Amino acid sequence: MLSYRHAFHAGNHADVLKHLTLVRIARYLGEKPAPFWIVDTHAGAGRYALDSEYASKLAEYRDGIGRLWEAEDLPPAAADYVDLVRSLNPDGRLRHYPGSPWLASQLLRDGDRLRLFELHSSDVKLLQECFRGRGRQVTITAGDGFAGLKAVLPPPPRRGLVLIDPSYETRDDYANVIKGLREALQRFPTGTYALWYPLLAKPEAQKLPGRLRALGAADWLHATLQVSAPSRDGFGMHGSGMFIINPPWTLKKTLQDTLPQVAALLAQGDGAGFTLEGEST
């Protein structure tokens, strides 16, 4: 896990799904006057230079945010997300991409709080630099985000979003998201939890949605975005998913209205598309 650097993948199709969903949930939380917290268990560096050695090596952003950057007549939720990315690129050129922490920070009000965890020593330093001067509103912890949830949940205002998106480089990550979610729900059962995961051929990834449903949450929403069919050799990520527990009641309709066009824009071949399912009380 410590070898993982999200800079290699910044702005790719998986980030589009994850960050579009994050923005919608944070917007919903902000509709009520009561304060809320956002907790990011695997925060990364905060923001990324797309012309850096890391990002330009694979240039995955070109088939992600790059395709939405020039698109016209985007659905409102997608346009809102792209506008936030544009605010980090005021000259109109796509040269910087915001990570989840930066996007979340733009949607905070005075009484809201952002709690960030990151294990990679280099990314922690970049994250601290990204939020220098933000004071108590943004707290950064160098450490394991799963362990950190025990200290921050439930948040004092009893309103909040927990974003969980580990690298899934090891089998332990799949087990840890189930264990972490189960323990978090015991501490903060009314919170909103947004878990990102990759669509891969490996059994651990394919079994994860079923294990998440088995947690028994009464309200959940599961969205996937595929940009291609799985490769014949079984390697590579052909899409990703978001599993949201206690989602905003508006989120399903928003994704129904948004994902068809986003999936079409990001398609890289046969098999591209999206799925959306959920259960609510």
Side-chain angles (χ1 to χ4, degrees):
M1 181 174 177
L2 287 176
S3 65
Y4 178 82
R5 303 296 299 277
H6 188 68
F8 285 108
H9 312 289
N12 69 358
H13 59 82
D15 269 357
V16 170
L17 176 63
K18 175 172 60 180
H19 292 154
L20 189 154
T21 304
L22 166 65
V23 170
R24 294 330 304 160
I25 297 173
R27 292 284 194 204
Y28 178 83
L29 288 171
E31 290 178 0
K32 296 182 179 180
F36 63 86
W37 282 27
I38 296 179
V39 181
D40 192 336
T41 61
H42 298 77
R47 61 190 175 205
Y48 305 91
L50 297 177
D51 58 357
S52 69
E53 179 181 357
Y54 291 115
S56 60
K57 185 173 183 179
L58 300 176
E60 292 185 5
Y61 72 90
R62 293 176 181 169
D63 288 324
I65 183 60
R67 295 195 182 189
L68 272 61
W69 188 258
E70 300 295 341
E72 298 180 355
D73 299 323
L74 288 171
D80 183 26
Y81 152 65
V82 174
D83 284 345
L84 285 168
V85 180
R86 290 189 189 281
S87 70
L88 195 59
N89 297 273
D91 64 357
R93 297 175 58 194
L94 180 56
R95 295 189 293 182
H96 302 277
Y97 186 77
S100 302
W102 191 93
L103 286 167
S105 72
Q106 301 306 297
L107 303 173
L108 300 179
R109 305 158 304 173
D110 288 344
D112 304 327
R113 297 289 182 265
L114 182 60
R115 299 294 179 257
L116 307 174
F117 295 89
E118 176 52 47
L119 198 56
H120 197 291
S121 58
S122 297
D123 279 351
V124 165
K125 293 177 182 178
L126 294 171
L127 193 61
Q128 291 168 338
E129 182 62 29
C130 181
F131 290 104
R132 191 176 303 279
R134 288 298 294 266
R136 296 177 58 189
Q137 188 174 45
V138 180
T139 300
I140 299 168
T141 301
D144 178 12
F146 291 120
L149 286 178
K150 299 176 182 179
V152 298
L153 296 182
R158 296 301 196 275
R159 298 183 70 229
L161 163 66
V162 177
L163 176 65
I164 303 174
D165 61 333
S167 66
Y168 297 96
E169 284 193 327
T170 70
R171 289 185 178 182
D172 288 345
D173 283 335
Y174 293 91
N176 286 337
V177 296
I178 299 298
K179 180 175 181 290
L181 271 171
R182 183 180 292 113
E183 293 177 349
L185 284 165
Q186 292 174 351
R187 290 182 171 83
F188 185 33
T190 59
T192 297
Y193 298 85
L195 174 79
W196 175 89
Y197 71 95
L199 295 182
L200 301 168
K202 62 174 58 178
E204 297 89 349
Q206 295 182 350
K207 293 177 181 178
L208 185 59
R211 297 180 68 190
L212 292 168
R213 289 191 292 269
L215 288 172
D219 295 316
W220 55 269
L221 187 64
H222 181 209
T224 68
L225 177 66
Q226 304 89 236
V227 297
S228 66
S231 63
R232 292 183 178 180
D233 60 12
F235 291 101
M237 181 175 68
H238 59 278
S240 65
M242 291 293 294
F243 194 96
I244 304 103
I245 295 174
N246 299 326
W249 69 271
T250 56
L251 186 59
K252 185 174 183 179
K253 179 62 165 57
T254 297
L255 294 180
Q256 285 174 335
D257 294 341
T258 305
L259 289 182
Q261 188 169 341
V262 170
L265 286 168
L266 300 187
Q268 298 180 26
D270 294 338
F274 74 97
T275 65
L276 187 62
E277 60 176 344
E279 186 168 307
S280 61
T281 56

